[in-house]
Amino acid sequence: MSANTQTPAITAGDILALKGKQPIVSLTAYTTPMAQMMDAHCDFVLVGDSVGMVLHGLPSTLGVTMEMMILHGQAVARGLSRAMLVIDMPFGSYEEGPEQAFRNAARLMRETGAAAVKLEGGVEMASTIRFLVARGIPVMGHVGLTPQSINTLGGYKVQGRAEGGAQVLDGARAVAEAGAFAVVLEKVPQVLADEITAAVPIPTIGIGASAGCDGQVLVVDDMLGLFTAFKPKFVKRYGDLGVQAEAAIAEYAAEVRARLFPAAEHVFADQAPSKTSSKD
């Protein structure tokens, strides 16, 4: 075996096999440099429709288009060699029916190189998931808080409290039975997340759920402190890069206005320095 043989890319089957074993690590990514930094550390990287809010300034994920997902998916794919690439299906690209979902999922995978798609919904999406999986498209489910449904959910509220827990559990079971290889549990009570994790045979990926889930995912701009418009309770900031970036920009602006930048070491002489040196 060659010494520089690359480690094979992680597949949906590999993620499924981690159920109940080593915790699965994931983050969202939208650019090549960020994907390159994640590749060695994440099991899968999600090109999330959260890109609409954190990079494009949209008020929700509802305005995200197929073209936006493809553009950012292609960028992330260039930065990955090991981690699995999963891409969100944007609002309006799959809800109409299985055939619409297949056309758009196939396009996303074909044009980005993604290994799987993620779509939101539980029982109502089971037939669509089954249709896609039967035609060779690995699917990651998403239940609990489904951001594409905020207009019917009444905002970004915790889902599954009290009697609502049965609906979320049923949705996770339906997604698993339909053939999804994993399911995201977003913003659900910890006890419910643990119950779902024990009840379904596929990995659960928590975001505002429980440490007992089979894995975790966060929006990278949230955990790095780059997105500062608001901070969800379930986010831990592992950096404050937004504060540092703003301070750096302010310092740059001040130096430009004071004519301190560019300094002598940042400009070029009229003539290039000679490559020969005197022996004197």
Side-chain angles (χ1 to χ4, degrees), residues 54-264:
V54 300
L55 289 191
H56 292 273
L58 298 178
S60 73
T61 62
L62 299 181
V64 174
T65 65
M66 283 284 290
E67 288 68 28
M68 289 166 66
M69 296 307 300
I70 289 169
L71 177 67
H72 291 283
Q74 290 170 340
V76 170
R78 296 184 194 107
L80 300 180
S81 61
R82 171 191 166 276
M84 181 183 182
L85 174 58
V86 182
I87 188 166
D88 264 340
M89 298 194 70
F91 177 68
S93 69
Y94 61 95
E95 295 90 341
E96 185 178 334
E99 290 82 4
Q100 180 210 28
F102 176 78
R103 288 193 301 272
N104 285 318
R107 182 185 173 196
L108 285 172
M109 293 179 70
R110 182 174 60 248
E111 296 190 30
T112 67
V117 299
K118 181 174 77 64
L119 56 81
E120 297 180 3
V123 173
E124 73 280 8
M125 283 296 131
S127 60
T128 293
I129 293 171
R130 189 173 292 110
F131 188 91
L132 295 180
V133 172
R135 285 155 181 79
I137 296 180
V139 178
M140 179 176 289
H142 185 150
V143 299
L145 173 63
T146 48
Q148 293 176 8
S149 302
I150 56 166
N151 288 328
T152 55
L153 295 177
Y156 298 97
K157 300 176 181 178
V158 174
Q159 301 296 308
R161 284 180 169 151
E163 64 276 3
Q167 181 179 353
V168 179
L169 175 57
D170 289 345
R173 282 178 167 152
V175 163
E177 290 169 2
F181 69 92
V183 59
V184 171
L185 308 181
E186 181 168 357
K187 211 166 184 181
V188 299
Q190 180 178 348
V191 171
L192 176 60
D194 290 340
E195 182 182 357
I196 293 172
T197 299
V200 299
I202 62 175
T204 56
I205 310 299
I207 176 168
S210 170
C213 289
D214 296 295
Q216 302 293 328
V217 64
L218 281 177
V219 172
V220 68
D221 296 72
D222 284 342
M223 59 88 71
L224 291 178
L226 286 168
F227 182 76
T228 57
F230 59 88
K231 178 183 174 293
K233 177 182 178 179
F234 56 78
V235 170
K236 177 178 179 179
R237 284 194 172 150
Y238 288 82
D240 284 307
L241 304 191
V243 172
Q244 294 175 24
E246 186 172 358
I249 291 167
E251 183 179 0
Y252 162 75
E255 289 196 358
V256 169
R257 292 189 175 108
R259 297 194 183 277
L260 296 175
F261 177 85

Side-chain angles (χ1 to χ4, degrees), residues 25-76:
V25 179
S26 176
L27 287 167
T28 65
Y30 322 108
T31 65
T32 304
M34 199 68 80
Q36 289 171 329
M37 287 186 274
M38 295 176 189
D39 192 41
H41 306 286
C42 291
D43 298 300
F44 74 89
V45 171
L46 174 65
V47 183
D49 58 1
S50 49
V51 67
M53 300 176 73
V54 300
L55 289 191
H56 292 273
L58 298 178
S60 73
T61 62
L62 299 181
V64 174
T65 65
M66 283 284 290
E67 288 68 28
M68 289 166 66
M69 296 307 300
I70 289 169
L71 177 67
H72 291 283
Q74 290 170 340
V76 170

